[in-house]
Amino acid sequence: MKKLVVGNWKMHGTRASNAELISGLLAADLAATAPRADVAVCPPFVFVADVADALKGSAIAVGTQDISVHAQGAYTGEVAGPMIRELGAKYAIVGHSERRSYHAESDQLVADKAKAALSHGLTPIVCVGETLSEREAGQTESVVSRQLKAVIDTLGGQLVQIVVAYEPVWAIGTGKVATPEQAQAVHAALRAQLKAAQAQAAVVPLLYGGSVKPDNAAELFAQTDIDGGLIGGASLKAADFAAIARAA
Ligand code: PEP
């Protein structure tokens, strides 16, 4: 199976810096130099149209960092699935830890966002992950399993169509990466949970995210149950992001 490498640009960029980043990514010719990776980038909403146009015809897909649960209506500030789809995006990240913590997104809201993405032809990248205090309290597996259960219960037969990203909160943007063994252990538990819910869901891609860099990507991607990465900081540098895609 091909790996999936997704860049989360978070709230970074200008039209000028995005153009430079995209020209670096196109020059890296990932279709030829990273043939074992499917690649996507998730810019802030306001840049999605520009970025999708600039990447049209390339091997790099586009996603968003969030999605509304509603298809349209009086929901000021929200962006709906059909709008995202119209711009040519393929993925929508849901439940990133920054949205769970700064925007109080509940497990059920995240699951409903995953359902909304699917109902508009987008693939949700569902993020799960524990905080440092939860890890230290030995709660890692119970936390990610609770987060994933809401998605399993909400999606029913559509479960097989999602992507899951395990992102330990203590590793996001901190430079503290989970060891390949720590990541693999959680991925194996997530895989088992998906498979127990539905046999076909054993193939759901499981990405690792949290301080993935060119020098640690290959070791993480070599783990049995790590099917790719969700990349924050390093996705803002074309050379680093390309190197991570090539590590697949
Ligand atoms: C992220 O925000 O999804 C992420 C993994 O960030 P970083 O790679 O910067 O830790």
Side-chain angles (χ1 to χ4, degrees):
M1 189 164 79
K2 262 184 153 184
K3 301 280 188 203
L4 174 61
V5 177
V6 180
N8 172 15
W9 293 1
K10 309 198 189 193
M11 200 173 71
H12 292 292
T14 61
R15 283 186 147 163
S17 70
N18 294 341
E20 196 181 321
L21 178 51
I22 288 166
S23 80
L25 292 176
L26 292 176
D29 193 6
L30 296 177
T33 63
R36 292 154 61 107
D38 285 323
V39 178
V41 294
C42 301
F45 278 127
V46 289
F47 297 130
V48 171
D50 279 359
V51 172
D53 284 348
L55 292 174
K56 201 168 274 172
S58 80
I60 306 174
V62 176
T64 60
Q65 300 171 17
D66 188 25
I67 184 172
S68 175
V69 289
H70 306 288
Q72 62 165 351
Y75 301 103
T76 302
E78 296 273 282
V79 180
M83 300 170 183
I84 297 169
R85 187 80 188 123
E86 188 181 354
L87 300 181
K90 180 168 179 191
Y91 299 98
I93 297 172
V94 299
H96 191 281
S97 65
E98 288 151 17
R99 295 216 53 95
R100 288 182 190 262
S101 69
Y102 306 145
H103 300 272
E105 294 197 2
S106 66
D107 296 339
Q108 188 56 52
L109 180 68
V110 171
D112 290 340
K113 288 186 171 191
K115 192 169 181 64
L118 286 169
S119 68
H120 300 296
L122 298 158
T123 299
I125 300 174
V126 180
C127 301
V128 298
E130 81 288 3
T131 62
L132 184 58
S133 59
E134 288 165 340
R135 174 163 281 267
E136 286 172 350
Q139 295 167 344
T140 299
E141 285 190 17
S142 65
V143 168
V144 298
S145 135
R146 187 202 72 220
Q147 292 170 334
L148 185 59
K149 184 174 185 301
V151 176
I152 290 171
D153 292 347
T154 300
L155 295 189
Q158 290 182 300
L159 184 63
V160 65
Q161 298 172 49
I162 71 171
V163 171
V164 173
Y166 168 55
E167 299 208 304
V169 178
W170 48 271
I172 297 179
T174 58
K176 274 190 214 158
V177 65
T179 65
E181 295 72 27
Q182 283 174 323
Q184 167 57 27
V186 178
H187 281 231
L190 291 169
R191 179 92 65 211
Q193 186 180 1
L194 286 162
K195 198 172 164 186
Q198 282 167 37
Q200 312 91 294
V203 300
V204 164
L206 302 179
L207 314 185
Y208 168 78
S211 297
V212 178
K213 305 286 179 227
D215 63 358
N216 59 28
E219 212 187 348
L220 287 159
F221 294 166
Q223 301 302 306
T224 318
D225 291 299
I226 300 188
D227 303 317
L230 181 53
I231 321 299
S235 71
L236 298 171
K237 292 187 196 133
D240 285 1
F241 190 59
I244 292 168
R246 286 180 192 131

